[in-house]
């Protein structure tokens, strides 16, 4: 099978390219660095030539009100190029609960991306993942001042990127779902608890304080970022990942 990975040199994309090639597939890693520009469409026809499946793991450069325009433009170019190339399956990576957090610009933008895919000309699959283990440092940095980290008690069910990649690879090489697969880690934490686990494992000189108004995830109500009963539950536990990533 020939598969084009859009965003194929990033955190998720590079792992996905490696995994698919290891399974014997012909894979094109497409990104700005390889001459493919989703915002202009430049290089897309060449990158998609002969592809059976396209997996789009690109991300908006900002999480603000500019992000909907990014996804509107890039999905338009990608779907049109895919139709010209005869692509039979378009896959995107999204976020668990994305359509239940309209107060966040970025989540509205990702919801728009999903809707554009559903309305497009090609059979599709959407893989929604929970928050990545690897993003915890960034989440903590948003609300760190001096030696204090302020985090809300928002429930999350984080997942290792390697487990996200495994799910994407399985979906990309299977028939289109024309629907959604949720993937999540095995354990649910409150975000502040996750922060304390991180600080303890890394022996950082930081104190995590529960603050329901701190950071982006303070806007999230209830357990919308926790996967439902039909989700694919990944095996990697956060504590185990912490111990090996130190």
């Amino acid at each position: 099978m020939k598969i084009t990975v859009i965003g194929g040199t990033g955190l998720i994309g590079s792992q996905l390219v490696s995994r698919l090639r290891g399974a014997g597939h012909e894979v094109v890693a497409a990104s700005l660095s390889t001459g493919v520009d989703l915002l202009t469409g430049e290089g897309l026809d060449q990158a998609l030539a002969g592809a059976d499946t396209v997996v789009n793991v690109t991300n908006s450069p900002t999480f603000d009100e500019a992000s909907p325009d990014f996804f509107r433009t890039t999905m338009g170019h990608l779907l049109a190029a895919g139709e010209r190339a005869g692509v039979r399956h378009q896959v995107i990576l999204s976020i668990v609960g994305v359509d239940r957090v309209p107060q966040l610009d970025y989540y509205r933008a990702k919801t728009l991306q999903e809707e554009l895919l559903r309305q497009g000309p090609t059979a599709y699959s959407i893989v929604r993942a929970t928050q990545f283990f690897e993003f915890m440092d960034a989440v903590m940095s948003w609300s760190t001042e001096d030696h204090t980290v302020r985090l809300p008690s928002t429930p999350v069910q984080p997942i290792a990127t390697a487990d996200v990649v495994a799910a994407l690879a399985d979906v990309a090489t299977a028939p289109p779902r024309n629907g959604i697969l949720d993937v999540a880690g095995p354990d649910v934490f409150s975000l502040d608890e996750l922060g304390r686990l991180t600080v303890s494992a890394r022996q950082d000189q930081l104190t995590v304080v529960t603050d329901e108004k701190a950071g982006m995830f303070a806007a999230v109500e209830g357990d919308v970022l926790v996967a439902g009963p039909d989700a694919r539950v990944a095996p990697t536990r956060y504590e185990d990942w912490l111990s090996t990533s130190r």
Side-chain angles (χ1 to χ4, degrees), residues 39-177:
L39 281 171
T40 65
E42 181 181 357
L44 270 177
D45 288 334
Q46 296 91 329
L48 269 58
D52 302 293
T53 298
V54 174
V55 184
N56 180 9
V57 295
T58 56
N59 209 349
S60 169
T62 67
F63 288 176
D64 58 18
E65 65 275 5
S67 52
D69 284 339
F70 172 85
F71 287 115
R72 185 179 294 108
T73 299
T74 57
M75 285 301 294
H77 287 149
L78 184 57
L79 291 170
E83 188 174 24
R84 291 194 298 270
V87 170
R88 296 194 293 270
H89 187 188
Q90 291 261 8
V91 181
I92 64 168
L93 177 61
S94 191
I95 307 166
V96 166
V98 69
D99 52 348
R100 300 172 66 190
V101 194
Q103 59 270 43
L104 292 181
D105 292 328
Y106 181 70
Y107 279 51
R108 288 200 306 273
K110 289 293 289 183
T111 301
L112 171 64
Q113 183 191 31
E114 290 188 2
E115 188 57 32
L116 292 169
L117 182 65
R118 290 188 189 93
Q119 295 174 357
T122 309
Y124 71 91
S125 299
I126 298 169
V127 176
R128 287 181 174 178
T130 51
Q131 282 64 48
F132 302 161
F133 292 170
E134 287 83 349
F135 284 178
M136 192 58 196
D137 285 337
V139 169
M140 291 171 63
S141 72
W142 297 338
S143 55
T144 298
E145 185 175 353
D146 296 328
H147 296 290
T148 300
V149 184
R150 298 185 179 277
L151 294 171
S153 59
T154 308
V156 292
Q157 192 173 354
I159 186 171
T161 58
D163 290 335
V164 176
V165 167
L168 280 168
D170 288 347
V171 169
T173 55
R177 288 174 167 262

